[in-house]
Amino acid sequence: MAKAIQLAVLKVLMIIIFGGWITVWIQKPTNMWTRKWKGAEDSSRYTVFGYYGLNFAVYTFPLISLTIIGLVYLNLVSREPPRSRPARSATIGFSNPVLVNSFLGILSSIEILAVFLFVLFLAWTYYARISNDFKKLMPIKSLKLDLWQLKYLRVATRFGLLAEACLALLLLPILRGMALFQILGIQFEASVRYHIWLGTSMILFATIHGASTLFIWGVSHHIQDEMWRWQKTGRIYLAGEIALVTGLVIWISSLPQIRRRRFEIFYYTHHLYIVFLIFFLFHAGDRHFYSVFAGIFLFGLDKLLRIVQSRPETCVLSARIFLFPSKAIELTLPKDPRLKYTPTSVIYMKIPSISKFQWHPFSITSSSNLDDHTMSVVVKCNGGWTSTFYDVMQAELDSDTGSMSCMPVSIEGPYGPASLDFLRHDSLLMIAGGAGITPFLGILNEIASVNSSRYRFPTRVQLIYVVKKSLDICLLNSVSSLLLNQSSTQLSLKLKVYVTQEERSNATVRGLVNDLSLVRTVNFSTECSNYAVHGPESPLWMAAMAALSSIKFMVSLMCFNHIFLPHEKKSAVTEKMVVPSEKKAAKEKTPSSVVDLLLLASFIITLACSTFLASILRWKRLKKDIPPVSPKQGKATEHGSVETRSPVEEHELHFGGRPDFQDIFSKFPNETGGSDIGVLVCGPVSMKESVASLCQLKSQGLNIGSRGKKTYFSFHSLNFTL
C-alpha cells in the first residue's frame, strides 16, 4: 500500500513538472513573458546564480528533474512484486493502431494526439513571434533593406526558433540509461522514429532559416560582408552556417538508402553532432542554448555512463553457427547471476577484432529466470559488419589450431521494458517474419520459466512464423524443447510455419526443428577476461548521478563566470549610477563567444567529473565481487539430431504462400477460448502494417469469439535487432 502511494505521488510530481515546462514554452513567444523574463533576468544578474542560473532553472532543470523522478519511479516499479494481469480498462484502445500508413508507419491515438499538439505548438509559436515582429519592424543599420526584404528576413529568423523547439526534444528519444520514454513503456528501438521525425523537422526549418537569410543578403548585395562575419556580440553568422552544413551532412547520411547500404558512413558521420551542437551554441548564444540544453546534458551524461558500464570487456563463451543458407550465429555470453532482464531486452555489443568503434544492438533470446550465468543473442549475418563476423568465425572453424582463442567483447545493457504488462493477456498471437523471430524466443523462454502461482501469463500461445526457406527454421533451435516437449510445461504452444519460396515437400516442423546437422558449436577460451556482464546500474544510482551532475554544472558555471567576468559583480546600486553609454560599453567588453565557451567548459568539466566518479564506483563494484567465468576451451563440434518424446505432430507447415491473417484472426479466438488477446508482431514493415490494419478493423467492429464472448485484440509492435 505504501509503495502504491509513493508511485502515485511520483506520477503527480512528473505531471506537474512536465505541465509547468510545457507552459513555459507556450508563454515564451508572448509579449507579457518577454517583459517579465527580461525583468527577472535583470534582477537575477547580480545574485550568486546570475542570469544563467535563472535560465538553467526554468528551461533546463525541469526535464532533468523529470528524469530524476522518473528513474526513482522505475526503481520502485522494478522492485514491485509480480502482480496479476490487470482488468482491461477503457483506455487500452489508445495503444491500438488508429492510422496505418506506408510513409508515417503505424500510429496509435496517443501518438497522433502528441504529433497534433506539437504541430499546434509550432504554429502558435511562429504566429505569436511573427505577428509581434511585423508590428514593430525596425530597420537594420548595417543592411539597407526594402520593406518586403525586412519582413522576409523576420520570417526567416522565426523559422530558426522552430528548429530550436525541435532540437529541444531531439535527443530525448535516444536516451538509453536515462530513458524518459521508458516511463511510458516505450523501448529505445521504438522511440528512435520520434528522433527521426524531430531531426527531419529541425533540418527543414533550419534550412529555410539559413537559405532565406542568405537570399536576402544576396538580393541586397551584402552576402560577402555578412556571410563570413564572426561578430563579437549577438548572433554569429558564420557559426550558424557551419552548424547548418553539418546538420545537412548528418541528415543526408541518415537517409534509409545510405543507412542500410553504407552503415559505416551513417555511423561515423552521425558523430558530427558534436560539431553541430558547438557551433549552434556560438550561433544562438547561451540564452537560447539553455532552452535545448536539457536534452544535450542528459544525452552527454547518458553516453559517458554507458561507456563506463561497458568496461571492462567480457568474452564469448561459445557460439552455435548456423551454416548455409541461414548464416546466423547464436552467441553465449557470461552474466552476473544477479542480473535480471525482461523479454524483448536488447544489448549493444562491440567486438574490437571486427571494429574498434562500431556498436550494434542484438535482441536477447534467453531468459534470466532459466539461465543464471549465461545470456544468448542471435546474430543474423546479412550486413557488412555481421558478414565480416561470420567470415571470421568460419575461418576459425576451418583452421586446425585445435582450440578457439579468446574473443573479447564489450557489452552495454541490457535495456528492456520496465514491466511485462504486454504479456498479461488471456492468449497471445505472435507473428514473426524472418529474423523477427528473435524477440519471441526470449518471450517463450520467459513464459515457460515463470511460476503460474506468482504470475498471470498466457498459457495459450500461437506463433506464426513466415520464412523464405525451410532451413531458416533453424533459428527456433533455442526453443526446440518447448516446441517438441510441451507435456513437461504448462504452456500450450502451437506453431504455424509458412515457407514462401519453396514448393510443398514431405518435411514436418518436428523434423526441421530437430535437424541440427547444419549447426556447429564452438567453445572459446576465457583466459583474456574473467568478467561477466553486470548490466547497467540501478535507476536509483542513475538518478543520483543526474542530480550530482546538475549541481556540479551550476557550481562550475558560477565559478567560471565570477572569475572571468568580474564586471558582473557590480551591485545594482552601482549599475544605476553608471551613465547609459558607459553601461553599454561595459556590457560589450565580453564577447558572446567567451560566455559560450564558459558554458561549454562547465559542461565538459561536469561530464569529466561524473565519468571519473562512475569509473571509481564501477571499479570498486567489480573488485568487490567478480562473478566466476568457467573457462571453456575446445574444438568445434558437430550437432546431430535430438530425440524427442512427443508422439503427435501438432504444428503446421505450409509451403508456397503467405499466411491469410484475416483467416487466422477469425479462427484464433475459437482455438484458444480467450477473450483478451495480445497480438505481437515483429518482422518486415509490410507485415506489421498488414497485421496493424487488421487489428484496427477488428477493434472498430464487433468481434464475437468463442461462446459468444466479445473478443478484444491488443496490438503490440516489436522491433528486432541483430
Side-chain angles (χ1 to χ4, degrees), residues 184-435:
L184 304 175
I186 302 174
Q187 289 185 252
F188 171 77
E189 290 74 24
S191 63
V192 167
R193 67 172 177 175
Y194 308 137
H195 172 75
I196 296 173
W197 293 349
L198 289 167
T200 302
S201 302
M202 182 193 71
I203 291 299
L204 173 63
F205 296 140
T207 302
I208 296 174
H209 166 67
S212 299
T213 303
L214 291 174
F215 171 74
I216 293 299
W217 290 346
V219 297
S220 60
H221 307 289
H222 290 88
I223 191 168
Q224 292 294 335
D225 300 329
E226 301 294 329
M227 187 174 181
W228 308 106
R229 286 183 62 190
W230 189 281
Q231 299 92 310
K232 186 176 181 181
T233 58
R235 301 284 187 272
I236 300 177
Y237 300 145
L238 181 58
E241 294 155 13
I242 296 174
L244 177 58
V245 172
T246 306
L248 285 171
V249 171
I250 296 174
W251 180 77
I252 292 173
S253 65
S254 302
L255 294 174
Q257 295 84 350
I258 298 178
R259 187 179 69 248
R260 293 170 184 169
R261 298 178 181 178
R262 296 288 187 270
F263 180 81
E264 290 78 9
I265 296 177
F266 157 76
Y267 181 82
Y268 291 117
T269 55
H270 229 64
H271 286 79
L272 291 174
Y273 69 85
I274 299 175
V275 177
F276 172 81
L277 292 174
I278 290 175
F279 283 98
F280 173 81
L281 169 62
F282 287 131
H283 173 65
D286 63 327
R287 283 176 171 83
H288 282 269
F289 197 73
Y290 284 115
S291 300
V292 305
F293 187 51
I296 299 170
F297 182 90
L298 292 172
F299 177 78
L301 185 61
D302 181 81
K303 179 79 171 179
L304 291 176
L305 292 181
R306 288 190 282 111
I307 293 175
V308 172
Q309 178 238 311
S310 66
R311 306 288 181 174
E313 294 177 343
T314 185
C315 56
V316 177
L317 293 180
S318 63
R320 301 175 66 221
I321 304 174
F322 302 90
L323 305 182
F324 183 84
S326 297
K327 295 188 67 176
I329 303 174
E330 183 181 19
L331 297 179
T332 301
L333 304 168
K335 82 172 186 68
D336 188 336
R338 295 165 296 184
L339 175 60
K340 300 295 180 182
Y341 49 84
T342 52
T344 72
S345 292
V346 171
I347 64 170
Y348 286 78
M349 183 167 63
K350 180 183 70 173
I351 303 179
S353 58
I354 305 299
S355 174
K356 295 185 180 298
F357 302 104
Q358 289 189 37
W359 292 82
H360 290 266
F362 299 95
S363 299
I364 301 178
T365 58
S366 58
S367 170
S368 57
N369 293 322
L370 289 176
D371 304 306
D372 290 333
H373 298 280
T374 61
M375 63 193 306
S376 302
V377 298
V378 172
V379 181
K380 183 69 174 176
C381 305
N382 53 8
W385 185 90
T386 52
S387 297
T388 302
F389 180 45
Y390 186 85
D391 293 339
V392 170
M393 298 296 295
Q394 276 290 91
E396 290 284 353
L397 284 174
D398 296 337
S399 65
D400 297 327
T401 57
S403 65
M404 297 295 288
S405 58
C406 179
M407 178 174 285
V409 295
S410 296
I411 301 295
E412 180 193 313
Y415 304 109
S419 67
L420 299 177
D421 286 341
F422 69 103
L423 293 181
R424 293 185 171 99
H425 295 278
D426 292 336
S427 306
L428 280 184
L429 176 60
M430 302 192 301
I431 303 172

Side-chain angles (χ1 to χ4, degrees), residues 40-93:
E41 274 197 337
D42 291 338
S43 300
S44 63
R45 182 182 298 275
Y46 305 107
T47 63
V48 66
F49 293 103
Y51 76 89
Y52 44 85
L54 178 65
N55 279 269
F56 182 82
V58 173
Y59 290 112
T60 301
F61 190 69
L63 276 184
I64 297 176
S65 61
L66 187 65
T67 302
I68 294 172
I69 297 173
L71 289 170
V72 175
Y73 176 84
L74 291 176
N75 188 72
L76 290 175
V77 170
S78 64
R79 296 183 179 182
E80 189 178 7
R83 56 189 177 88
S84 299
R85 178 178 59 83
R88 185 183 186 276
S89 65
T91 60
I92 195 171

